[in-house]
Amino acid sequence: MGASYQPLDPQDLKPSSKNHAHFLSNPVISWLCCGFISLALLHLLIFSPSGTQRSAFSPLLQYIDDTYNFVSSEPGGNESCNYSVGKWVRSPGYARRYNATECNVKESHDCIRNGRPDTGYLDWRWQPAGCPLPAFNARTFLRAMRGKHVAFIGDSMARNQAQSLVCLLAAAFRSRLVYRDEDAQHSYNNWRYAFPVHDVKVSYYWNPFIVKSTGKSEDESIQESHVHLDTPGDRWGADADTIDVAVLSASHWLLNGAIYHNGSEVAGAHNAPPELNYTGLGYAWPLKMAYRTAVERLSSSSRPRTVVLATFSPAHFEGRPSDSPTACTKMEPYKEGEKEVDWISKELRDIVYEEAEAAKARSVAGASATRIELLDVTKLAVMRPDGHPSVYMHRNPFEHGVPERMYSDCLHFCLPGPVDTFNEILLQILRKRR
């Protein structure tokens, strides 16, 4: 599928060597640099550019930040804040932070380009109960991740968040596409971007079960998926020793079901054709095993790294057919108490909590260098039925009238949109002190 894949060479992730001291040893150059730096700082003080504004001084300001560390370090994330509990508050224009077309997101998530007429879904921010959640700051993220490889591993919601992060960063800093599958049908399934100023790489690995899978997960024309619960995914598994931060996200495909293998044996299945006569496993145990295998692989070396387990982000079809043009047409978030987290979303969230706690305990007992964190997005996602592409996953869907049937995307979020908040929380998690 696509181009032949080569595992990432750890040498490619080493920071580039720059001898700044030698560069400044020339007194004339040093004098000129001081002059330019003074002008740049004066410009910064007078015009106060925001994180996403790109003035003529941006490259110089980036160089100053990278070389001289003039921008004072901000304190770490709020360790006592529970970002998973809160409410959406109206904040006009808050989420209008990038142009999704410019950062090459999947076309079906580029709602503005596709003609979605209402943009009110961009006018909300998440307010945790009892503590602030700062707006995403690209410079803060890149400085915190300097020289690191950040990888999103999982299903299409992992991709949704990964593309959001690349867009938030690329709105303020130069980016470079390092790799993308050549097969047009799967070109959004595996890719990597680099942010040279801070030597940060952001990758996405399509692996909807997190662990190794074949069949439907590779070719949707195949009826079943075969999932090997004891084996990491091929691509991210090959690169695991180069990953500094891994964000794991899976659940939806496990709900749909698969045939599960453990070693050379078939352990059972979930939602498999009855004529196959496999032992029914449900989805809970396979989900636990998948997260456990992934965390163990990422914890198998002495390299310090952070593994973040993301919770379930539910869809909002809410009883309507997926091919109905009227699915997920709500135009505002749910208010507190208007929509409860359903039992299956709670169960999936609880499984991730349990695995995160178990992984933390194993990490402490084994004196592992791996740090385990939890990204709980379930409630804030439940409350945003307005943030999906709906029929605007297609360009100008009503150009020729209103069709009787048209698929609506009520699972993924528009970009920009509510999923950007996932990365605001991720930034605070990554900046916490251990």
Side-chain angles (χ1 to χ4, degrees):
M1 180 179 71
S4 59
Y5 179 73
Q6 297 296 324
L8 188 62
D9 186 344
Q11 296 295 322
D12 293 339
L13 289 171
K14 287 185 177 179
S16 57
S17 58
K18 297 179 182 178
N19 191 337
H20 300 300
H22 175 73
F23 174 76
L24 293 176
S25 62
N26 186 310
V28 175
I29 293 177
S30 181
W31 181 84
L32 287 172
C33 282
C34 288
F36 281 126
I37 290 167
S38 299
L39 287 172
L41 290 175
L42 180 62
H43 181 275
L44 182 63
L45 288 170
I46 294 173
F47 295 101
S48 299
S50 66
T52 57
Q53 290 174 322
R54 315 234 10 210
S55 73
F57 284 89
S58 292
L60 181 57
L61 290 173
Q62 290 176 23
Y63 179 80
I64 294 168
D65 178 30
D66 192 49
T67 308
Y68 300 97
N69 201 26
F70 274 5
V71 180
S72 62
S73 298
E74 299 175 22
N78 187 340
E79 296 182 41
S80 63
C81 185
N82 182 358
Y83 297 109
S84 67
V85 179
K87 61 183 179 180
W88 290 97
V89 297
R90 190 181 294 277
S91 184
Y94 180 78
R96 302 166 193 254
R97 289 177 277 194
Y98 55 82
N99 181 323
T101 306
E102 291 179 357
C103 50
N104 195 34
V105 307
K106 192 174 183 182
E107 290 87 348
S108 59
H109 303 161
D110 193 349
C111 302
I112 294 175
R113 186 208 70 145
N114 291 342
R116 178 170 173 170
D118 65 300
T119 57
Y121 66 96
L122 297 172
D123 295 335
W124 300 86
R125 65 177 177 83
W126 179 247
Q127 175 58 62
C131 57
L133 175 61
F136 187 88
N137 185 290
R139 184 183 300 277
T140 300
F141 185 95
L142 290 172
R143 290 186 65 205
M145 294 293 103
R146 188 187 303 273
K148 297 187 184 300
H149 179 198
V150 180
F152 291 80
I153 302 166
D155 57 19
S156 56
M157 284 309 300
R159 175 174 56 210
N160 205 203
Q161 185 180 353
Q163 290 192 313
S164 160
L165 178 61
V166 167
C167 289
L168 289 165
L169 296 174
F173 288 87
R174 182 170 59 87
S175 64
R176 177 173 61 87
L177 179 62
V178 176
Y179 172 83
R180 184 187 295 279
D181 274 0
E182 291 181 359
D183 183 348
Q185 184 180 356
H186 303 99
S187 62
Y188 289 97
N189 278 4
N190 296 280
W191 46 256
R192 179 174 301 116
Y193 280 85
F195 294 86
V197 170
H198 295 80
D199 192 33
V200 172
K201 291 179 175 63
V202 178
S203 299
Y204 168 67
Y205 297 89
W206 166 253
N207 204 159
F209 295 93
I210 296 180
V211 291
K212 180 180 177 65
S213 59
T214 58
K216 190 175 182 64
S217 60
E218 296 180 324
D219 183 347
E220 290 196 8
S221 67
I222 300 174
Q223 186 176 1
E224 292 97 18
S225 286
H226 289 263
V227 180
H228 301 265
L229 293 171
D230 60 334
T231 308
D234 291 340
R235 291 194 170 194
W236 73 260
D239 288 351
D241 291 337
T242 73
I243 295 172
D244 299 286
V245 175
V247 182
L248 307 177
S249 178
S251 288
H252 289 278
W253 280 65
L254 287 107
L255 283 178
N256 293 336
I259 298 166
Y260 294 103
H261 302 254
N262 196 15
S264 60
E265 303 292 328
V266 174
H270 176 54
N271 281 347
E275 62 269 17
L276 295 178
N277 200 30
Y278 288 126
T279 301
L281 290 180
Y283 54 79
W285 183 78
L287 180 59
K288 290 180 181 181
M289 293 302 102
Y291 272 111
R292 193 164 303 177
T293 295
V295 172
E296 286 178 355
R297 173 63 183 95
L298 290 162
S299 305
S300 62
S301 73
S302 58
R303 182 188 183 98
R305 59 166 54 90
T306 300
V307 179
V308 181
L309 279 63
T311 66
F312 184 64
S313 178
H316 286 93
F317 291 101
E318 298 177 344
R320 295 185 181 90
S322 61
D323 61 352
S324 169
T326 64
C328 59
T329 53
K330 199 171 189 308
M331 297 176 67
E332 288 192 353
Y334 285 119
K335 297 180 177 64
E336 182 64 33
E338 187 179 356
K339 176 71 174 179
E340 297 299 323
V341 180
D342 61 45
W343 71 268
I344 196 166
S345 297
K346 286 180 180 177
E347 183 175 36
L348 290 165
R349 181 184 60 190
D350 289 347
I351 289 169
V352 179
Y353 266 84
E354 290 168 8
E355 283 308 303
E357 289 304 313
K360 285 180 184 179
R362 292 194 301 269
S363 181
V364 171
S368 171
T370 302
R371 169 185 167 193
I372 307 297
E373 295 289 350
L374 184 77
L375 175 60
D376 184 353
V377 299
T378 300
K379 182 176 180 180
L380 66 92
V382 162
M383 297 173 73
R384 291 305 306 269
D386 59 317
H388 303 297
S390 185
V391 294
Y392 291 98
M393 62 179 297
H394 307 286
R395 197 159 191 172
N396 302 321
F398 302 122
E399 187 175 10
H400 303 293
V402 181
E404 183 178 348
R405 293 293 168 202
M406 176 182 289
Y407 184 76
S408 290
D409 184 351
C410 300
L411 169 60
H412 308 100
F413 287 110
C414 293
L415 293 169
V419 71
D420 296 331
T421 301
F422 295 16
N423 288 315
E424 289 181 334
I425 298 173
L426 176 64
L427 173 55
Q428 299 308 310
I429 289 173
L430 296 179
R431 294 177 63 239
K432 284 195 314 183
R433 297 177 180 86
R434 280 181 179 265

